[in-house]
Amino acid sequence: MKPQLSYPDLVKAFTRFRDAEPEPKGELVHDSAFTLLVAVVLSAQATDRGVNKATEPLFAAARTPEAMLALGEEGIAEHIKSIGLFRNKAKNVSKLSRILVEEYGGEVPSSRAALVALPGVGRKTANVVLNSWFKMPAQAVDTHIFRVGNRTGIAIGKDVIAVERAIEDHVPAEFQLHAHHWLILHGRYTCTARNPKCGACVLGDLCCNEGKTA
């Protein structure tokens, strides 16, 4: 297993991320906790671009739990049929909307336990909502973060939970809020799964990857 980057190197790494992008944001279009929650639920096994294309007309028709319930499962499915697994996702969005209306007064809860109890919502989805909307330092580890964390030595772990813990344990507190956004964007556009752009990487001198390319 590769070594975890030292604290001084982590400070250097995240300072460089911050200098390049002081206020990183997710790429899913939303304007409320509810629209963010729905967008993240729909993003499983789908691209952000594909989700945004589907949610534009969906949110024009229904942008609250009450309106989503009125639209109905079939109405939701009609709007998101361009997305993979759209029928199951439509069912989950309808069910979670009903729970939000009946149990939370139409509001999205700011508790991870409450969020993961909703249909279609796992730990990663809950962490995205907690971080992006409620501004909590929750780490939503996806395939990009898992790869970047292990490849660079920023956060070493054998699974996503271990990498999440490694970020929480090792990344300096001042960088925790934006850490997962910086790592996702780095993995999406620079430290890609195939042919990583090592020559353009701001972490070139810090990275633990022995297979770095010029």
Side-chain angles (χ1 to χ4, degrees), residues 27-134:
E27 297 180 328
L28 291 173
V29 176
H30 64 280
D31 61 5
S32 68
F34 178 68
T35 54
L36 174 60
L37 175 63
V38 171
V40 182
V41 168
L42 298 181
S43 71
Q45 299 182 47
T47 65
D48 287 357
R49 181 177 298 178
V51 171
N52 289 337
K53 185 177 180 180
T55 56
E56 183 176 1
L58 174 64
F59 293 155
R63 59 189 334 107
T64 66
E66 295 84 356
M68 202 68 75
L69 270 181
L71 186 60
E73 186 178 322
E74 286 303 315
I76 297 169
E78 185 63 25
H79 282 91
I80 66 170
K81 60 186 179 182
S82 61
I83 300 175
L85 306 174
F86 73 95
R87 292 202 176 278
N88 189 56
K89 291 177 180 179
K91 182 183 298 184
N92 285 334
V93 169
S94 180
K95 286 182 176 180
L96 72 83
S97 296
R98 182 172 298 280
I99 292 171
L100 292 179
V101 170
E102 294 179 351
E103 299 183 19
Y104 297 98
E107 300 295 325
V108 175
S110 58
S111 156
R112 181 186 286 119
L115 286 168
V116 298
L118 296 172
V121 179
R123 186 180 182 88
K124 184 180 76 173
T125 297
N127 283 349
V128 170
V129 174
L130 292 174
N131 182 282
S132 296
W133 189 261
F134 294 108

